[in-house]
Amino acid sequence: MIAGMSDTAEGTSDTTVRDERPPGPRTGDAAHPTPRERRIAAWRGAPRVLARLGFVAPLGERLALLDAAGSVYDLDEMSDVYGNGVVEALERRVAGLLGTEAAAFFPTGTMAQQVALRCWAGRTGNPVVALHALSHPEVHERNALSRVSGLRPVRVTGEPRLPTAAEVRDFEEPFGALMLELPLRDAGFVLPAWEELTEVVEAAREREAVVHFDGARLWECTAHFGRPLEEVAGLADSVYVSFYKSLGAFGGAALAGPATLVEEAKAWRHRYGGNVFQQFPTVLSALIGLERELPRLPEYVAHARVVAAALREGLAAAGLPWFRVHPEVPHTHDFQVWLPYDAEAVVEAAIRSAEETGGVLFANHWEPKGPGLAFTEVYVRAAGLEWTADDVRTAAAEFARRLVREAGARPTAARRAGGRPAPSRASSPPGGPHD
């Protein structure tokens, strides 16, 4: 029934962490390392960073994470085989945290969401999935929903925010499921207000559609909403969560929802090749992340707001005529910074600043978003708690002065001074936040 539906426009491929794409054929050498190699080396060696992310750490450090495995699971138990044992323990833990009847572990979020939406399409009889134009399946999964699972995505909006209740209620064609990415990463890790989110869910239900949350980063949304995790997850009919984006695990994801849906999803997990023989290293790392990192996420979110405010003040003090920290008050512990310079110039200034000062504000890749315009993502984790507001202001001003000096010319985008954009689309970064 759902095979043969038309595709959406061609998407792009992407690793989940955009700034660390696989390097491909090596172009540098020991004497002339690539900018990427220099950036990662500076990040690894810097005494002070805002986040130490595991995926760029040496293998030895990553393996050391499992030293804590005995604190989260009985290591005298037999290992897992095709999803039992420690995998089932993780599934029960996730279901308890999210307040759902059941949960199923998946090797990837791409697989988990395809399976969830395919199951819902069979139940509703409608293969149409309403989602945001900037949602992960549309931008980063090579049209997997349509090419692999026979679903038909339709875009409710392309604005750099979550869909509104009016947009969902007035959408011109029927849909069986509404998928909401919380937070919407490519728009700047943005979230709606709690009242707005509940209204959007109600609007979908009025249309007899189910609601699925792409909650890859749902764990850290509780601070913004001021609601416990199970209350946030309880708005949706099903929820996907990731174990590595915020919790620092080796990988993996979970789909949570009604027991009957999860049982069906496990059958499709097998069909999609996701019923892996043994997964205990990844599962143990996920349990460690839930134990260690999950309780600290509200602290990271609170400090990200301190960092964002200090960044604005430092960049302004250095005399940059225009820049943007987006959102001005971060909704999670991740946010964007936009600068009116070519990406190559910003990359070089950021790397040289890290190499020479030992402090890394901008560890991630800078992407061009138009002529003379670049942006990056800033992550704040445990390491960032060591930075005071004064530390951030000083480092931001040093970076900005270096950028102005080394870039040579004035910024290419004419904006008003004081770190505020010219009056246009004040709700979004210039040039659009999508790739």
Side-chain angles (χ1 to χ4, degrees):
M1 176 183 66
I2 60 178
M5 303 302 289
S6 62
D7 291 340
T8 57
E10 286 293 323
T12 59
S13 64
D14 180 57
T15 56
T16 303
V17 184
R18 178 195 294 117
D19 56 287
E20 295 305 333
R21 295 188 181 95
R26 183 180 172 87
T27 57
D29 54 36
H32 300 93
T34 65
R36 181 181 187 274
E37 290 167 338
R38 289 174 58 204
R39 177 167 52 84
I40 293 177
W43 195 355
R44 283 182 174 182
R48 305 188 70 193
V49 298
L50 289 176
R52 295 198 184 277
L53 303 183
F55 62 85
V56 293
L59 279 173
E61 288 185 21
R62 293 301 280 155
L63 289 173
L65 178 64
L66 293 181
D67 291 345
S71 67
V72 296
Y73 192 74
D74 184 356
L75 300 186
D76 289 329
E77 293 286 335
M78 286 188 62
S79 182
D80 60 303
V81 176
Y82 290 122
N84 66 3
V86 68
V87 178
E88 292 175 328
L90 175 61
E91 291 171 342
R92 290 191 296 270
R93 179 77 183 277
V94 171
L97 287 168
L98 299 179
T100 61
E101 290 181 349
F105 180 79
F106 280 80
T108 72
T110 298
M111 183 186 295
Q113 297 209 109
Q114 283 194 59
V115 166
L117 295 169
R118 181 167 194 149
C119 290
W120 283 126
R123 291 165 181 239
T124 64
N126 189 334
V128 178
V129 179
L131 41 65
H132 197 289
L134 299 180
S135 63
H136 199 275
E138 284 293 270
V139 179
H140 301 302
E141 296 178 14
R142 299 188 178 188
N143 298 106
L145 293 182
S146 56
R147 294 291 180 98
V148 179
S149 297
L151 302 166
R152 184 162 67 87
V154 293
R155 299 174 174 184
V156 178
T157 182
E159 292 297 311
R161 52 160 173 74
L162 273 292
T164 65
E167 288 169 335
V168 171
R169 190 175 292 112
D170 299 336
F171 193 69
E172 60 268 21
E173 61 179 299
F175 52 87
L178 172 66
M179 183 183 123
L180 298 173
E181 183 178 327
L182 301 175
L184 187 57
R185 183 257 181 102
D186 278 294
F189 305 94
V190 296
L191 290 163
W194 177 253
E195 294 75 17
E196 293 171 332
L197 180 59
T198 57
E199 290 170 2
V200 168
V201 170
E202 290 169 2
R205 297 262 164 76
E206 289 172 11
R207 300 191 57 154
E208 300 183 346
V210 297
V211 177
H212 170 77
F213 284 172
D214 175 344
R217 298 170 175 84
L218 190 73
W219 307 112
E220 59 263 34
C221 292
T222 55
H224 175 82
F225 289 133
R227 299 290 195 283
L229 192 59
E230 62 182 27
E231 186 175 354
V232 179
L235 288 179
D237 297 284
S238 60
V239 180
Y240 141 68
V241 290
S242 172
F243 295 119
Y244 67 89
K245 294 181 176 66
S246 301
L247 301 180
F250 297 161
L255 172 65
T260 55
L261 178 81
V262 170
E263 283 305 306
E264 182 184 359
K266 288 181 177 180
W268 281 106
R269 180 181 67 186
H270 195 177
R271 294 179 181 122
Y272 274 66
N275 204 28
V276 180
F277 177 53
Q278 290 196 310
Q279 302 176 95
F280 65 90
T282 298
V283 171
L284 287 170
S285 72
L287 286 168
I288 293 168
L290 289 172
E291 186 72 20
R292 288 182 172 182
E293 291 299 302
L294 182 58
R296 303 195 69 183
L297 295 183
E299 185 180 12
Y300 301 165
V301 175
H303 198 61
R305 294 168 180 170
V306 174
V307 170
L311 267 174
R312 287 199 307 273
E313 293 164 1
L315 295 175
L320 282 185
W322 181 87
F323 59 85
R324 179 126 190 197
V325 176
H326 176 73
E328 286 194 6
V329 178
H331 297 174
T332 70
H333 50 45
D334 303 325
F335 57 91
Q336 297 176 341
V337 173
W338 292 69
L339 293 174
Y341 288 89
D342 290 330
E344 292 80 2
V346 187
V347 166
E348 183 62 23
I351 292 173
R352 286 174 60 85
S353 178
E355 291 172 336
E356 296 176 14
T357 69
V360 182
L361 280 180
F362 303 116
N364 295 335
H365 177 65
W366 285 85
E367 288 203 14
K369 302 302 287 188
L373 188 63
F375 94 103
T376 192
E377 294 175 345
V378 176
Y379 310 146
V380 178
R381 303 292 189 272
L385 300 178
E386 300 175 6
W387 294 66
T388 67
D390 283 342
D391 293 335
V392 175
R393 277 190 290 268
T394 300
E398 188 279 334
F399 162 79
R401 286 191 287 267
R402 178 187 299 270
L403 176 60
V404 172
R405 182 173 65 250
E406 295 181 358
R410 289 178 59 83
T412 55
R415 299 290 190 270
R416 293 188 301 173
R420 296 186 180 276
S424 57
R425 295 176 63 191
S427 62
S428 65
H434 53 283
D435 296 330

